[in-house]
Amino acid sequence: MIRAVFFDMDDTLYDTSGFAAIARRAAVKSMVHNGLKCTEDEGYEALMEIIREKGSNYNEHFNILTKKINGEEDPLIIVNGMITYHNTKFAMLKLEPECFSILLYLKSKGYKVGLITNGKEIKQWEKLVRLGVYPFFDVVVTSESVGVEKPDAKIFEIAMEKLGVTAGTSLMIGNNFDVDIMGAYNAGIQSMIINSEITEDQQKKLDELNYHVEELKSLISLMNIL
């Protein structure tokens, strides 16, 4: 019997499709307007190269960009990029349809609700606060706070321990097969996938593992399952 439902964050509770690219392009446009010595396309390609090298959670992409293009860091250009990026990103930050409804439903039925997410602690909490859903969660576990990332079973075990539940009474819902679904499998937890379709190769792997994963069309579908 399921007692706790764990959710992933990005592309599960809210749609990130394309918003990062739009926010980055807007940031570069602002930086070029304020003195970055390149075209918008050149600036964007340079920025993406830095992101690929440093990772998306690195905090000084724009610093490196200005130094790479202009030969030195320029605080005015950097700040314009940062502010434009964050303003654009958060303007586009919206919950998946019916997210509030399913969270209310789960809480009303007495389920414990948790969040297990890879990412920076402050960034993920900021999203929860801006989206207005943080009060629904009994526990929030980020990879930065515990020092281990999905699909490592340890992060799931930590979340379960915090809620006082077992793998047999837990359910994980996420959009990423390799991270969320395989992570749940590693921890012995049931899982469901949303906003993503299981490929033939992935289904073959699930069959070999004898592990069933249900595809959710929407979060509200949980009302017919739990």
Side-chain angles (χ1 to χ4, degrees), residues 133-153:
V133 295
Y134 75 93
F136 291 103
F137 292 93
D138 299 298
V139 66
V140 173
V141 178
T142 69
S143 58
E144 184 182 50
S145 68
V146 297
V148 63
E149 294 185 345
K150 296 179 292 183
D152 194 307

Side-chain angles (χ1 to χ4, degrees), residues 2 6 21 45 51 53 55-56 64 67 83 85 91 94-95 101 114 117 119 124 126 140-141 147 149 201 205 221-222:
I2 299 298
F6 294 99
E45 288 305 316
I51 291 171
E53 179 184 344
S56 60
I64 296 176
K67 190 170 184 178
I83 290 174
Y85 173 78
K94 295 180 181 178
L95 282 173
S101 296
T117 175
Q124 299 303 72
E126 184 177 15
V140 173
V141 178
E149 294 185 345
D201 287 342
K205 183 174 184 178
S221 301
L222 279 173

Side-chain angles (χ1 to χ4, degrees), residues 177-178 181-182 185 191-193 196-216:
F177 182 86
D178 294 324
I181 304 306
M182 285 297 94
Y185 169 78
S191 65
M192 297 180 183
I193 194 166
S196 184
E197 294 183 357
I198 295 175
T199 66
E200 289 185 12
D201 287 342
Q202 289 170 346
Q203 186 58 57
K204 183 178 179 181
K205 183 174 184 178
L206 292 174
D207 292 340
E208 291 173 351
L209 296 172
N210 193 29
Y211 184 62
H212 175 72
V213 176
E214 189 161 348
E215 293 184 17
L216 292 175

